[in-house]
Short mmCIF file of all heavy atoms in Angstrom, two decimals:
data_model
loop_
_atom_site.label_atom_id
_atom_site.label_comp_id
_atom_site.label_asym_id
_atom_site.label_seq_id
_atom_site.Cartn_x
_atom_site.Cartn_y
_atom_site.Cartn_z
N ALA X 1 -2.21 2.88 -1.86
CA ALA X 1 -1.57 3.90 -2.67
C ALA X 1 -1.11 5.04 -1.79
O ALA X 1 -1.46 5.13 -0.61
CB ALA X 1 -2.55 4.43 -3.72
N GLY X 2 -0.32 5.91 -2.41
CA GLY X 2 0.14 7.11 -1.74
C GLY X 2 -0.09 8.31 -2.62
O GLY X 2 -0.31 8.18 -3.83
N ILE X 3 -0.02 9.48 -2.03
CA ILE X 3 -0.07 10.68 -2.85
C ILE X 3 1.29 10.92 -3.49
O ILE X 3 1.44 11.72 -4.39
CB ILE X 3 -0.58 11.91 -2.06
CG1 ILE X 3 0.27 12.19 -0.82
CG2 ILE X 3 -2.03 11.70 -1.67
CD1 ILE X 3 -0.12 13.46 -0.08
N GLU X 4 2.28 10.15 -3.01
CA GLU X 4 3.62 10.04 -3.59
C GLU X 4 3.96 8.56 -3.53
O GLU X 4 3.24 7.78 -2.92
CB GLU X 4 4.64 10.83 -2.77
CG GLU X 4 4.31 12.29 -2.57
CD GLU X 4 5.13 12.93 -1.46
OE1 GLU X 4 6.05 12.29 -0.90
OE2 GLU X 4 4.86 14.10 -1.15
N THR X 5 5.07 8.14 -4.13
CA THR X 5 5.53 6.76 -3.97
C THR X 5 6.95 6.77 -3.46
O THR X 5 7.82 7.43 -4.02
CB THR X 5 5.45 5.98 -5.30
OG1 THR X 5 6.20 6.67 -6.29
CG2 THR X 5 4.03 5.80 -5.76
N HIS X 6 7.17 6.08 -2.36
CA HIS X 6 8.48 6.03 -1.72
C HIS X 6 9.09 4.64 -1.72
O HIS X 6 10.15 4.44 -1.14
CB HIS X 6 8.39 6.54 -0.28
CG HIS X 6 7.98 7.97 -0.18
ND1 HIS X 6 7.58 8.53 1.01
CD2 HIS X 6 7.89 8.97 -1.10
CE1 HIS X 6 7.27 9.79 0.82
NE2 HIS X 6 7.44 10.09 -0.46
N GLY X 7 8.43 3.65 -2.33
CA GLY X 7 8.91 2.27 -2.26
C GLY X 7 8.45 1.62 -0.97
O GLY X 7 8.19 2.29 0.02
N VAL X 8 8.35 0.31 -0.97
CA VAL X 8 7.90 -0.41 0.22
C VAL X 8 9.06 -0.46 1.22
O VAL X 8 10.17 -0.85 0.89
CB VAL X 8 7.42 -1.84 -0.14
CG1 VAL X 8 6.97 -2.58 1.10
CG2 VAL X 8 6.29 -1.77 -1.17
N ASN X 9 8.77 -0.05 2.44
CA ASN X 9 9.78 0.02 3.49
C ASN X 9 10.18 -1.41 3.92
O ASN X 9 9.32 -2.19 4.33
CB ASN X 9 9.22 0.79 4.69
CG ASN X 9 10.23 1.06 5.76
OD1 ASN X 9 10.88 0.15 6.25
ND2 ASN X 9 10.35 2.32 6.15
N PRO X 10 11.47 -1.73 3.85
CA PRO X 10 11.93 -3.08 4.24
C PRO X 10 11.61 -3.44 5.70
O PRO X 10 11.37 -4.61 6.01
CB PRO X 10 13.44 -3.04 4.02
CG PRO X 10 13.69 -1.87 3.14
CD PRO X 10 12.57 -0.91 3.36
N LYS X 11 11.56 -2.44 6.56
CA LYS X 11 11.21 -2.72 7.96
C LYS X 11 9.73 -3.08 8.11
O LYS X 11 9.37 -3.88 8.96
CB LYS X 11 11.60 -1.53 8.85
CG LYS X 11 13.10 -1.41 9.04
CD LYS X 11 13.44 -0.24 9.95
CE LYS X 11 14.87 -0.14 10.36
NZ LYS X 11 15.91 -0.35 9.40
N ALA X 12 8.89 -2.51 7.26
CA ALA X 12 7.47 -2.89 7.25
C ALA X 12 7.32 -4.33 6.79
O ALA X 12 6.54 -5.10 7.36
CB ALA X 12 6.67 -1.94 6.36
N VAL X 13 8.08 -4.69 5.77
CA VAL X 13 8.06 -6.08 5.27
C VAL X 13 8.49 -7.03 6.38
O VAL X 13 7.85 -8.05 6.64
CB VAL X 13 8.96 -6.23 4.02
CG1 VAL X 13 9.07 -7.70 3.62
CG2 VAL X 13 8.43 -5.39 2.87
N ALA X 14 9.56 -6.67 7.08
CA ALA X 14 10.12 -7.54 8.13
C ALA X 14 9.16 -7.69 9.30
O ALA X 14 8.96 -8.80 9.81
CB ALA X 14 11.46 -6.99 8.59
N ILE X 15 8.55 -6.58 9.74
CA ILE X 15 7.66 -6.66 10.91
C ILE X 15 6.40 -7.45 10.58
O ILE X 15 5.86 -8.16 11.43
CB ILE X 15 7.34 -5.25 11.48
CG1 ILE X 15 6.92 -5.32 12.95
CG2 ILE X 15 6.28 -4.53 10.67
CD1 ILE X 15 8.02 -5.64 13.91
N MET X 16 5.93 -7.37 9.34
CA MET X 16 4.76 -8.15 8.94
C MET X 16 5.11 -9.63 8.84
O MET X 16 4.30 -10.48 9.21
CB MET X 16 4.20 -7.63 7.63
CG MET X 16 3.56 -6.26 7.73
SD MET X 16 2.17 -6.21 8.87
CE MET X 16 0.92 -7.03 7.88
N LYS X 17 6.28 -9.92 8.36
CA LYS X 17 6.71 -11.32 8.25
C LYS X 17 6.72 -11.99 9.62
O LYS X 17 6.38 -13.17 9.76
CB LYS X 17 8.09 -11.39 7.60
CG LYS X 17 8.51 -12.79 7.23
CD LYS X 17 9.75 -12.78 6.38
CE LYS X 17 9.91 -14.15 5.76
NZ LYS X 17 10.61 -14.12 4.51
N LEU X 18 7.09 -11.22 10.66
CA LEU X 18 7.09 -11.77 12.02
C LEU X 18 5.68 -12.13 12.49
O LEU X 18 5.53 -12.90 13.43
CB LEU X 18 7.73 -10.77 13.00
CG LEU X 18 9.23 -10.58 12.84
CD1 LEU X 18 9.73 -9.47 13.76
CD2 LEU X 18 9.99 -11.87 13.10
N ASP X 19 4.65 -11.56 11.86
CA ASP X 19 3.27 -11.90 12.18
C ASP X 19 2.67 -12.84 11.14
O ASP X 19 1.46 -13.02 11.07
CB ASP X 19 2.43 -10.63 12.33
CG ASP X 19 1.17 -10.87 13.15
OD1 ASP X 19 1.15 -11.80 13.99
OD2 ASP X 19 0.19 -10.11 12.97
N GLY X 20 3.52 -13.40 10.28
CA GLY X 20 3.06 -14.41 9.32
C GLY X 20 2.42 -13.86 8.07
O GLY X 20 1.74 -14.60 7.35
N ILE X 21 2.61 -12.58 7.78
CA ILE X 21 2.02 -11.99 6.58
C ILE X 21 3.14 -11.47 5.69
O ILE X 21 3.98 -10.69 6.11
CB ILE X 21 1.03 -10.86 6.95
CG1 ILE X 21 -0.13 -11.47 7.74
CG2 ILE X 21 0.54 -10.14 5.69
CD1 ILE X 21 -1.14 -10.50 8.25
N ASP X 22 3.11 -11.92 4.44
CA ASP X 22 4.16 -11.57 3.49
C ASP X 22 3.69 -10.44 2.58
O ASP X 22 2.78 -10.61 1.78
CB ASP X 22 4.52 -12.80 2.65
CG ASP X 22 5.66 -12.54 1.67
OD1 ASP X 22 6.25 -11.45 1.69
OD2 ASP X 22 5.94 -13.46 0.88
N ILE X 23 4.32 -9.26 2.73
CA ILE X 23 4.02 -8.14 1.85
C ILE X 23 5.24 -7.80 0.97
O ILE X 23 5.32 -6.73 0.40
CB ILE X 23 3.54 -6.89 2.62
CG1 ILE X 23 4.60 -6.37 3.60
CG2 ILE X 23 2.22 -7.16 3.33
CD1 ILE X 23 4.29 -5.01 4.20
N SER X 24 6.16 -8.75 0.87
CA SER X 24 7.40 -8.51 0.14
C SER X 24 7.20 -8.28 -1.36
O SER X 24 8.05 -7.70 -2.02
CB SER X 24 8.40 -9.64 0.37
OG SER X 24 7.91 -10.85 -0.18
N GLU X 25 6.08 -8.74 -1.89
CA GLU X 25 5.81 -8.55 -3.32
C GLU X 25 4.95 -7.31 -3.59
O GLU X 25 4.64 -7.02 -4.73
CB GLU X 25 5.12 -9.79 -3.90
CG GLU X 25 5.96 -11.06 -3.82
CD GLU X 25 7.24 -10.97 -4.64
OE1 GLU X 25 7.19 -10.47 -5.78
OE2 GLU X 25 8.29 -11.39 -4.12
N ASN X 26 4.55 -6.61 -2.52
CA ASN X 26 3.76 -5.39 -2.70
C ASN X 26 4.57 -4.34 -3.45
O ASN X 26 5.79 -4.34 -3.40
CB ASN X 26 3.33 -4.81 -1.35
CG ASN X 26 2.22 -5.61 -0.69
OD1 ASN X 26 2.00 -6.76 -1.02
ND2 ASN X 26 1.56 -5.00 0.27
N THR X 27 3.86 -3.46 -4.13
CA THR X 27 4.50 -2.35 -4.82
C THR X 27 3.98 -1.04 -4.24
O THR X 27 2.89 -0.99 -3.65
CB THR X 27 4.21 -2.39 -6.33
OG1 THR X 27 2.80 -2.37 -6.54
CG2 THR X 27 4.81 -3.64 -6.97
N SER X 28 4.75 0.00 -4.40
CA SER X 28 4.36 1.34 -3.97
C SER X 28 3.67 2.02 -5.15
O SER X 28 4.28 2.19 -6.21
CB SER X 28 5.61 2.11 -3.52
OG SER X 28 5.25 3.36 -2.99
N ASN X 29 2.40 2.36 -4.97
CA ASN X 29 1.60 2.89 -6.08
C ASN X 29 1.11 4.30 -5.78
O ASN X 29 0.84 4.63 -4.63
CB ASN X 29 0.40 1.98 -6.34
CG ASN X 29 0.83 0.59 -6.71
OD1 ASN X 29 1.07 -0.25 -5.85
ND2 ASN X 29 0.97 0.33 -7.99
N ASN X 30 0.94 5.07 -6.83
CA ASN X 30 0.40 6.42 -6.71
C ASN X 30 -1.11 6.35 -6.86
O ASN X 30 -1.64 5.60 -7.69
CB ASN X 30 1.01 7.33 -7.78
CG ASN X 30 0.63 8.77 -7.56
OD1 ASN X 30 -0.50 9.17 -7.79
ND2 ASN X 30 1.59 9.55 -7.11
N VAL X 31 -1.81 7.15 -6.07
CA VAL X 31 -3.27 7.14 -6.09
C VAL X 31 -3.83 7.41 -7.49
O VAL X 31 -4.91 6.92 -7.84
CB VAL X 31 -3.84 8.12 -5.04
CG1 VAL X 31 -3.51 9.56 -5.39
CG2 VAL X 31 -5.32 7.91 -4.84
N SER X 32 -3.09 8.14 -8.31
CA SER X 32 -3.57 8.45 -9.67
C SER X 32 -3.76 7.20 -10.53
O SER X 32 -4.50 7.21 -11.51
CB SER X 32 -2.62 9.42 -10.37
OG SER X 32 -1.35 8.82 -10.56
N GLU X 33 -3.10 6.09 -10.14
CA GLU X 33 -3.25 4.83 -10.87
C GLU X 33 -4.63 4.21 -10.70
O GLU X 33 -5.01 3.33 -11.47
CB GLU X 33 -2.19 3.82 -10.40
CG GLU X 33 -0.76 4.26 -10.67
CD GLU X 33 0.24 3.31 -10.04
OE1 GLU X 33 0.06 2.08 -10.14
OE2 GLU X 33 1.21 3.80 -9.43
N TYR X 34 -5.38 4.66 -9.70
CA TYR X 34 -6.64 4.01 -9.36
C TYR X 34 -7.86 4.92 -9.54
O TYR X 34 -8.93 4.63 -9.02
CB TYR X 34 -6.59 3.53 -7.90
CG TYR X 34 -5.49 2.54 -7.61
CD1 TYR X 34 -4.68 2.70 -6.49
CD2 TYR X 34 -5.26 1.45 -8.43
CE1 TYR X 34 -3.67 1.79 -6.21
CE2 TYR X 34 -4.25 0.55 -8.16
CZ TYR X 34 -3.47 0.72 -7.05
OH TYR X 34 -2.47 -0.19 -6.77
N LEU X 35 -7.73 5.99 -10.29
CA LEU X 35 -8.83 6.94 -10.43
C LEU X 35 -10.04 6.36 -11.15
O LEU X 35 -11.16 6.87 -10.99
CB LEU X 35 -8.35 8.22 -11.12
CG LEU X 35 -7.32 9.03 -10.34
CD1 LEU X 35 -6.91 10.26 -11.12
CD2 LEU X 35 -7.83 9.41 -8.95
N ASP X 36 -9.87 5.30 -11.90
CA ASP X 36 -10.98 4.70 -12.64
C ASP X 36 -11.72 3.62 -11.83
O ASP X 36 -12.70 3.05 -12.33
CB ASP X 36 -10.49 4.08 -13.95
CG ASP X 36 -10.02 5.14 -14.93
OD1 ASP X 36 -10.47 6.29 -14.83
OD2 ASP X 36 -9.18 4.80 -15.80
N ILE X 37 -11.26 3.34 -10.63
CA ILE X 37 -11.89 2.30 -9.80
C ILE X 37 -12.94 2.96 -8.90
O ILE X 37 -12.70 3.99 -8.29
CB ILE X 37 -10.84 1.55 -8.97
CG1 ILE X 37 -9.89 0.81 -9.91
CG2 ILE X 37 -11.51 0.58 -7.99
CD1 ILE X 37 -8.70 0.18 -9.22
N ASP X 38 -14.10 2.34 -8.83
CA ASP X 38 -15.16 2.83 -7.97
C ASP X 38 -14.99 2.17 -6.60
O ASP X 38 -15.29 0.98 -6.43
CB ASP X 38 -16.52 2.51 -8.58
CG ASP X 38 -17.66 3.15 -7.83
OD1 ASP X 38 -17.44 4.18 -7.15
OD2 ASP X 38 -18.79 2.63 -7.91
N PHE X 39 -14.49 2.93 -5.65
CA PHE X 39 -14.23 2.37 -4.32
C PHE X 39 -15.46 2.43 -3.44
O PHE X 39 -16.23 3.39 -3.48
CB PHE X 39 -13.07 3.13 -3.65
CG PHE X 39 -11.74 2.86 -4.30
CD1 PHE X 39 -11.16 3.79 -5.14
CD2 PHE X 39 -11.09 1.65 -4.10
CE1 PHE X 39 -9.94 3.54 -5.75
CE2 PHE X 39 -9.89 1.38 -4.71
CZ PHE X 39 -9.31 2.33 -5.55
N ASP X 40 -15.60 1.41 -2.61
CA ASP X 40 -16.64 1.39 -1.60
C ASP X 40 -16.16 2.06 -0.31
O ASP X 40 -16.94 2.64 0.42
CB ASP X 40 -17.07 -0.06 -1.30
CG ASP X 40 -17.63 -0.72 -2.54
OD1 ASP X 40 -18.77 -0.38 -2.92
OD2 ASP X 40 -16.93 -1.57 -3.14
N PHE X 41 -14.85 1.94 -0.07
CA PHE X 41 -14.23 2.54 1.11
C PHE X 41 -12.91 3.17 0.72
O PHE X 41 -12.13 2.57 -0.04
CB PHE X 41 -13.96 1.48 2.19
CG PHE X 41 -15.20 0.83 2.72
CD1 PHE X 41 -15.65 -0.36 2.17
CD2 PHE X 41 -15.90 1.39 3.78
CE1 PHE X 41 -16.80 -0.97 2.64
CE2 PHE X 41 -17.06 0.79 4.25
CZ PHE X 41 -17.51 -0.40 3.69
N ILE X 42 -12.63 4.35 1.26
CA ILE X 42 -11.33 4.99 1.13
C ILE X 42 -10.86 5.28 2.54
O ILE X 42 -11.51 6.03 3.29
CB ILE X 42 -11.41 6.28 0.30
CG1 ILE X 42 -11.88 5.96 -1.12
CG2 ILE X 42 -10.04 6.98 0.28
CD1 ILE X 42 -12.20 7.19 -1.97
N ILE X 43 -9.77 4.62 2.92
CA ILE X 43 -9.24 4.74 4.28
C ILE X 43 -7.92 5.49 4.21
O ILE X 43 -6.98 5.03 3.55
CB ILE X 43 -9.01 3.36 4.91
CG1 ILE X 43 -10.30 2.54 4.91
CG2 ILE X 43 -8.43 3.50 6.32
CD1 ILE X 43 -10.10 1.07 5.28
N THR X 44 -7.85 6.64 4.87
CA THR X 44 -6.56 7.34 4.98
C THR X 44 -5.96 6.97 6.33
O THR X 44 -6.65 6.97 7.36
CB THR X 44 -6.73 8.87 4.86
OG1 THR X 44 -7.78 9.31 5.71
CG2 THR X 44 -7.02 9.27 3.43
N VAL X 45 -4.68 6.64 6.31
CA VAL X 45 -4.01 6.17 7.54
C VAL X 45 -2.98 7.16 8.06
O VAL X 45 -2.20 6.83 8.95
CB VAL X 45 -3.39 4.76 7.35
CG1 VAL X 45 -4.48 3.72 7.14
CG2 VAL X 45 -2.38 4.74 6.22
N CYS X 46 -2.98 8.36 7.49
CA CYS X 46 -2.12 9.43 8.03
C CYS X 46 -2.77 10.77 7.75
O CYS X 46 -3.48 10.93 6.75
CB CYS X 46 -0.70 9.36 7.48
SG CYS X 46 -0.52 9.83 5.77
#
């Protein structure tokens, strides 16, 4: 998720495909969509 949603970057999809991982069906989600889930880990990457 993001604190905003910007859509999945096509270059991210392409670079992952080159490593054999398909993220083309992923969606860009806002963190507010997941407030009811009890997470074991929260990883911020920026």
Side-chain angles (χ1 to χ4, degrees):
I3 57 175
E4 305 165 5
T5 56
H6 297 166
V8 180
N9 187 306
K11 288 181 171 44
V13 173
I15 203 72
M16 290 300 284
K17 190 170 194 152
L18 290 174
D19 202 25
I21 296 176
D22 183 5
I23 61 169
S24 65
E25 298 297 317
N26 286 19
T27 58
S28 185
N29 300 86
N30 189 287
V31 66
S32 65
E33 297 173 44
Y34 300 133
L35 295 180
D36 292 335
I37 296 172
D38 188 24
F39 290 104
D40 298 287
F41 297 93
I42 298 171
I43 303 169
T44 48
V45 294
C46 71

